[in-house]
Coordinates of all heavy atoms in Angstrom, one line a residue:
S687 N 0.9 -1.1 0.1 CA -0.1 0.0 0.0 C 0.9 1.2 0.0 O 1.7 1.5 1.0 CB -0.9 0.0 1.3 OG -1.7 1.1 1.3
E688 N 0.7 2.0 -1.0 CA 1.5 3.3 -1.0 C 0.4 4.3 -0.4 O -0.7 4.5 -1.0 CB 1.8 3.7 -2.5 CG 2.7 2.9 -3.1 CD 3.0 3.0 -4.6 OE1 2.1 3.5 -5.1 OE2 4.0 2.6 -5.1
C689 N 0.7 4.9 0.6 CA -0.3 5.5 1.5 C 0.4 6.9 2.2 O 1.6 7.1 2.0 CB -0.9 4.7 2.5 SG 0.4 3.9 3.5
G690 N -0.4 7.6 2.8 CA 0.2 8.7 3.6 C -0.8 9.2 4.7 O -1.9 8.8 4.8
R691 N -0.4 10.0 5.6 CA -1.1 10.5 6.6 C -0.7 11.8 7.1 O 0.6 12.1 6.9 CB -1.2 9.5 7.8 CG 0.2 9.3 8.5 CD 0.0 8.1 9.5 NE 1.4 8.0 10.2 CZ 1.7 7.0 11.0 NH1 0.8 6.2 11.4 NH2 2.8 7.0 11.6
E692 N -1.5 12.5 7.7 CA -1.1 13.9 8.3 C -0.3 13.6 9.6 O -0.8 12.9 10.4 CB -2.3 14.7 8.6 CG -2.0 16.1 9.1 CD -1.3 17.0 8.0 OE1 -1.6 16.8 6.8 OE2 -0.5 17.8 8.4
E693 N 0.9 14.2 9.8 CA 1.6 14.1 10.9 C 2.0 15.5 11.4 O 1.8 16.5 10.7 CB 2.9 13.3 10.7 CG 2.5 11.8 10.3 CD 3.7 10.9 10.1 OE1 4.8 11.4 10.3 OE2 3.4 9.7 10.0
P694 N 2.5 15.7 12.7 CA 3.0 17.0 13.2 C 3.7 17.8 12.1 O 3.6 19.1 12.2 CB 3.7 16.7 14.5 CG 3.1 15.4 14.9 CD 2.8 14.7 13.7
G695 N 4.6 17.2 11.5 CA 5.5 17.9 10.6 C 4.8 18.3 9.1 O 5.4 18.7 8.2
G696 N 3.7 17.7 8.9 CA 3.0 17.7 7.7 C 2.6 16.4 7.1 O 2.7 15.5 7.8
D697 N 2.1 16.4 5.9 CA 1.7 15.2 5.2 C 2.9 14.3 4.9 O 3.8 14.8 4.3 CB 0.9 15.5 4.0 CG 0.1 14.4 3.4 OD1 -0.4 13.6 4.2 OD2 0.0 14.2 2.2
M698 N 2.9 13.0 5.3 CA 4.0 12.1 5.2 C 3.4 11.0 4.2 O 2.4 10.4 4.6 CB 4.5 11.7 6.4 CG 5.2 12.6 7.3 SD 6.9 13.2 6.4 CE 7.8 11.7 6.7
A699 N 4.4 10.6 3.3 CA 4.0 9.5 2.5 C 4.8 8.4 2.9 O 6.0 8.3 3.3 CB 4.3 9.8 0.9
Y700 N 4.2 7.1 2.7 CA 4.9 5.9 3.1 C 4.6 4.8 2.0 O 3.6 4.8 1.3 CB 4.4 5.4 4.5 CG 4.7 6.2 5.6 CD1 3.9 7.2 6.0 CD2 6.0 6.1 6.3 CE1 4.2 8.1 7.1 CE2 6.2 6.9 7.4 CZ 5.3 7.9 7.8 OH 5.5 8.6 8.9
C701 N 5.3 3.7 2.2 CA 5.0 2.5 1.3 C 5.2 1.4 2.4 O 6.2 1.1 3.0 CB 6.0 2.2 0.2 SG 5.6 0.6 -0.7
I702 N 4.2 0.6 2.6 CA 4.0 -0.5 3.4 C 3.9 -1.7 2.5 O 2.9 -1.8 1.8 CB 3.1 -0.4 4.6 CG1 3.2 -1.7 5.6 CG2 1.7 -0.3 4.1 CD1 2.4 -1.6 6.8
E703 N 4.7 -2.8 2.9 CA 4.7 -4.0 1.9 C 4.7 -5.2 2.8 O 5.2 -5.1 3.9 CB 5.8 -4.1 1.0 CG 6.1 -2.9 0.1 CD 7.4 -2.9 -0.6 OE1 7.6 -3.5 -1.6 OE2 8.4 -2.3 0.0
G704 N 4.2 -6.3 2.3 CA 4.1 -7.5 3.0 C 4.5 -8.7 2.2 O 4.2 -8.7 1.0
D705 N 4.9 -9.8 2.9 CA 5.2 -11.1 2.2 C 4.7 -12.2 3.1 O 5.2 -12.3 4.2 CB 6.8 -11.1 1.9 CG 7.3 -12.4 1.3 OD1 6.4 -12.8 0.5 OD2 8.3 -12.8 1.6
I706 N 3.8 -13.0 2.7 CA 3.2 -14.0 3.6 C 3.4 -15.4 2.8 O 3.0 -15.5 1.6 CB 1.8 -13.8 3.7 CG1 1.4 -12.5 4.4 CG2 1.0 -15.0 4.6 CD1 -0.1 -12.1 4.5
H707 N 4.1 -16.4 3.5 CA 4.3 -17.8 2.9 C 3.3 -18.7 3.7 O 3.4 -18.7 4.9 CB 5.8 -18.0 3.1 CG 6.7 -17.2 2.3 ND1 7.5 -17.7 1.3 CD2 6.9 -15.8 2.4 CE1 8.2 -16.8 0.8 NE2 7.9 -15.7 1.4
F708 N 2.5 -19.3 2.9 CA 1.4 -20.1 3.6 C 1.1 -21.3 2.8 O 1.6 -21.6 1.7 CB 0.2 -19.2 3.5 CG -0.3 -18.7 2.1 CD1 -1.3 -19.6 1.4 CD2 0.3 -17.8 1.4 CE1 -1.7 -19.2 0.1 CE2 0.0 -17.4 0.1 CZ -1.1 -18.1 -0.5
E709 N 0.2 -22.1 3.4 CA -0.1 -23.4 2.9 C -1.6 -23.3 2.1 O -1.7 -24.0 1.1 CB -0.3 -24.5 3.9 CG 1.0 -24.9 4.5 CD 2.0 -25.6 3.4 OE1 1.5 -26.2 2.5 OE2 3.2 -25.3 3.5
R710 N -2.5 -22.6 2.7 CA -3.8 -22.5 2.2 C -4.4 -21.1 2.2 O -4.0 -20.4 3.1 CB -4.8 -23.5 3.0 CG -4.4 -24.9 2.9 CD -5.1 -25.7 4.0 NE -4.7 -25.4 5.4 CZ -3.7 -25.7 6.0 NH1 -2.8 -26.6 5.3 NH2 -3.4 -25.3 7.2
L711 N -5.2 -20.9 1.1 CA -5.8 -19.5 1.1 C -7.3 -19.8 0.9 O -7.9 -20.5 0.2 CB -5.3 -18.9 -0.2 CG -5.9 -17.5 -0.6 CD1 -5.8 -16.4 0.5 CD2 -5.5 -17.0 -2.0
A712 N -8.0 -18.9 1.7 CA -9.4 -18.8 1.6 C -9.9 -17.3 1.5 O -9.1 -16.4 1.7 CB -10.2 -19.4 2.7
V713 N -11.1 -17.0 1.0 CA -11.5 -15.6 0.8 C -12.9 -15.7 1.6 O -13.7 -16.5 1.5 CB -11.8 -15.2 -0.6 CG1 -12.3 -13.8 -0.8 CG2 -10.4 -15.4 -1.4
E714 N -13.0 -14.5 2.4 CA -14.3 -14.3 3.2 C -14.8 -12.9 2.8 O -14.1 -11.9 2.6 CB -14.1 -14.5 4.7 CG -13.7 -15.8 5.0 CD -13.5 -16.0 6.5 OE1 -13.5 -14.9 7.2 OE2 -13.3 -17.1 7.1
R715 N -16.1 -12.7 3.0 CA -16.8 -11.4 3.0 C -16.6 -10.8 4.5 O -16.1 -11.5 5.4 CB -18.2 -11.5 2.7 CG -18.4 -11.7 1.2 CD -19.9 -11.7 0.9 NE -20.1 -11.7 -0.6 CZ -20.2 -10.6 -1.3 NH1 -20.2 -9.4 -0.7 NH2 -20.6 -10.7 -2.6
A716 N -17.0 -9.6 4.7 CA -16.8 -9.0 6.0 C -17.6 -9.7 7.1 O -17.3 -9.6 8.2 CB -17.2 -7.4 5.9
D717 N -18.7 -10.3 6.6 CA -19.6 -11.0 7.7 C -19.2 -12.4 7.9 O -19.7 -13.1 8.7 CB -21.1 -11.1 7.1 CG -21.2 -11.9 5.8 OD1 -20.4 -12.4 5.3 OD2 -22.3 -11.9 5.2
G718 N -18.0 -12.8 7.4 CA -17.4 -14.1 7.6 C -17.8 -15.2 6.7 O -17.4 -16.3 6.7
S719 N -18.8 -14.9 5.7 CA -19.2 -15.9 4.8 C -18.1 -16.2 3.8 O -17.3 -15.3 3.4 CB -20.5 -15.5 4.1 OG -20.3 -14.2 3.4
T720 N -18.1 -17.4 3.3 CA -17.0 -17.9 2.4 C -17.2 -17.4 1.0 O -18.4 -17.6 0.4 CB -16.8 -19.4 2.6 OG1 -16.5 -19.6 3.9 CG2 -15.7 -19.8 1.6
V721 N -16.2 -17.0 0.3 CA -16.3 -16.8 -1.0 C -15.4 -17.8 -1.8 O -14.2 -17.8 -1.5 CB -15.9 -15.4 -1.5 CG1 -16.0 -15.2 -3.1 CG2 -16.7 -14.3 -0.8

C-alpha cells in the first residue's frame, strides 16, 4: 500500500509491503461468509 497520513510535520508518504508464505488460502466477506 502506497499511502500517507497527516503528521505534526505535515503530510507524510509511506510504502508498506508484506510477504506471507502459507499453505492454504481462503476468501471471506466482511460478515465471515466464504467466497
Side-chain angles (χ1 to χ4, degrees):
S687 177
E688 294 170 340
C689 57
R691 62 188 185 183
E692 184 68 30
E693 297 185 355
D697 194 37
M698 290 290 296
Y700 294 91
C701 181
I702 183 169
E703 305 169 81
D705 182 33
I706 302 172
H707 294 244
F708 63 95
E709 290 297 325
R710 294 167 297 280
L711 171 64
V713 179
E714 294 178 353
R715 287 181 171 270
D717 62 5
S719 60
T720 299
V721 179

